[in-house]
Amino acid sequence: MKTPITQRIAAKYAGQKIGLYGGSFNPFHDGHMHVAEHALKRLPIDELWFLISPGNPQKDGMHMASLKKRMKRARKTTHANGHMQVTNIEKKLGTRFSVDTINHLQRGMPKTEFAWIMGADNLATFHTWMRWQDIARAIPIAIFDRPGYGWAGLKSNFCLRYDKNQVTPEKIFNSGRPAWTFVTIPRHPANATEIRARKALKKLKMADSNKT
């Protein structure tokens, strides 16, 4: 069933292939851009959409910046690339889980093909996502290497369960479902958790200096 938001854009993206890169992006950093740029190079997609989540069900919301701030930072970083879109479509759709977002988009935009994009750091816990096997059956998945996660991710429940469904990046859309690919790229050190930790430490130091 089409929702107002998908109905408005369905015709525009008919016949196109879109990579969906979901996450909290708290904060958006160069590592995210690194994955996105390589996704556009290595996968047969026309555009990449950053799905900025209103709130990540698997992460503590206490340390989450506002959606507005996260959107603003992402748009500032990506504005020069016409093949990247930053969207809060999950908020507009009212979806909380990735599987529901995917279902809405596929039903509302049946003439558009989608692929799910994620970093290798998500592989180890992918089997804890809501209806993760439904995601695998619904949409091809492209996993991009991340420092410290590649080998562990390839031993994950997801990879073991769908070992025979691994394909090359260029065949991700024409290999049936499930289909997934692991894309080896130059590793980028940026990490959102470490960035937040550095910011928190900086604030503490500033607070201490103000007391003296």
Side-chain angles (χ1 to χ4, degrees), residues 1 11 41 53 60 102-103 108 112-113 136 150 176 181-182 184 202:
M1 183 177 69
K41 291 177 182 177
S53 173
D60 184 0
I102 292 165
N103 286 340
T112 303
E113 292 188 75
T181 187
F182 189 91
T184 302
K202 184 177 179 180

Side-chain angles (χ1 to χ4, degrees), residues 23-29 32-33 50-53 65-80 85-88 199:
S24 54
F25 300 101
N26 183 48
F28 192 95
H29 56 68
H32 297 131
M33 279 293 290
F50 289 100
L51 307 183
I52 313 295
S53 173
S66 70
L67 177 61
K68 183 178 180 179
K69 287 183 178 180
R70 288 180 283 130
M71 291 278 293
K72 182 178 180 180
R73 177 165 176 152
R75 283 176 171 160
K76 182 179 180 180
T77 307
T78 63
H79 78 279
Q85 300 288 337
V86 175
T87 175
N88 62 349
K199 285 185 175 181

Side-chain angles (χ1 to χ4, degrees), residues 22-199:
S24 54
F25 300 101
N26 183 48
F28 192 95
H29 56 68
D30 290 343
H32 297 131
M33 279 293 290
H34 183 67
V35 168
E37 288 167 350
H38 280 279
L40 286 165
K41 291 177 182 177
R42 300 288 300 277
L43 303 177
I45 57 176
D46 300 293
E47 282 192 11
L48 181 141
W49 293 0
F50 289 100
L51 307 183
I52 313 295
S53 173
N56 190 323
Q58 296 214 345
K59 292 185 178 179
D60 184 0
M62 290 180 63
H63 303 290
M64 187 77 68
S66 70
L67 177 61
K68 183 178 180 179
K69 287 183 178 180
R70 288 180 283 130
M71 291 278 293
K72 182 178 180 180
R73 177 165 176 152
R75 283 176 171 160
K76 182 179 180 180
T77 307
T78 63
H79 78 279
N81 193 313
H83 295 283
M84 296 182 188
Q85 300 288 337
V86 175
T87 175
N88 62 349
I89 198 168
E90 288 189 309
K91 180 180 180 181
K92 295 176 180 178
L93 292 173
T95 54
R96 185 166 178 246
F97 298 101
S98 298
V99 64
D100 295 324
T101 301
I102 292 165
N103 286 340
H104 271 283
L105 290 173
Q106 289 181 326
R107 290 173 183 173
M109 303 171 66
K111 295 183 179 180
T112 303
E113 292 188 75
F114 296 98
W116 191 257
I117 293 171
M118 64 182 182
D121 50 315
N122 285 309
L123 265 181
T125 59
F126 187 69
H127 66 281
T128 68
W129 289 26
M130 177 68 71
R131 293 172 22 228
W132 66 280
Q133 294 190 52
D134 287 346
I135 296 176
R137 287 189 287 263
I139 190 171
I141 300 171
I143 301 115
F144 287 79
D145 201 4
R146 288 283 308 277
Y149 293 102
W151 177 244
L154 288 172
K155 295 190 294 182
S156 68
N157 288 11
F158 169 82
C159 291
L160 294 175
R161 172 69 177 81
Y162 296 111
D163 177 60
K164 295 181 180 180
N165 302 106
Q166 186 175 5
V167 300
T168 57
E170 62 272 12
K171 293 183 178 180
I172 195 166
F173 285 104
N174 55 9
S175 299
R177 304 289 183 273
W180 65 277
T181 187
F182 189 91
V183 188
T184 302
I185 60 175
R187 293 180 171 186
H188 196 286
N191 180 289
T193 302
E194 292 178 1
I195 291 172
R196 291 196 300 272
R198 287 198 298 270
K199 285 185 175 181

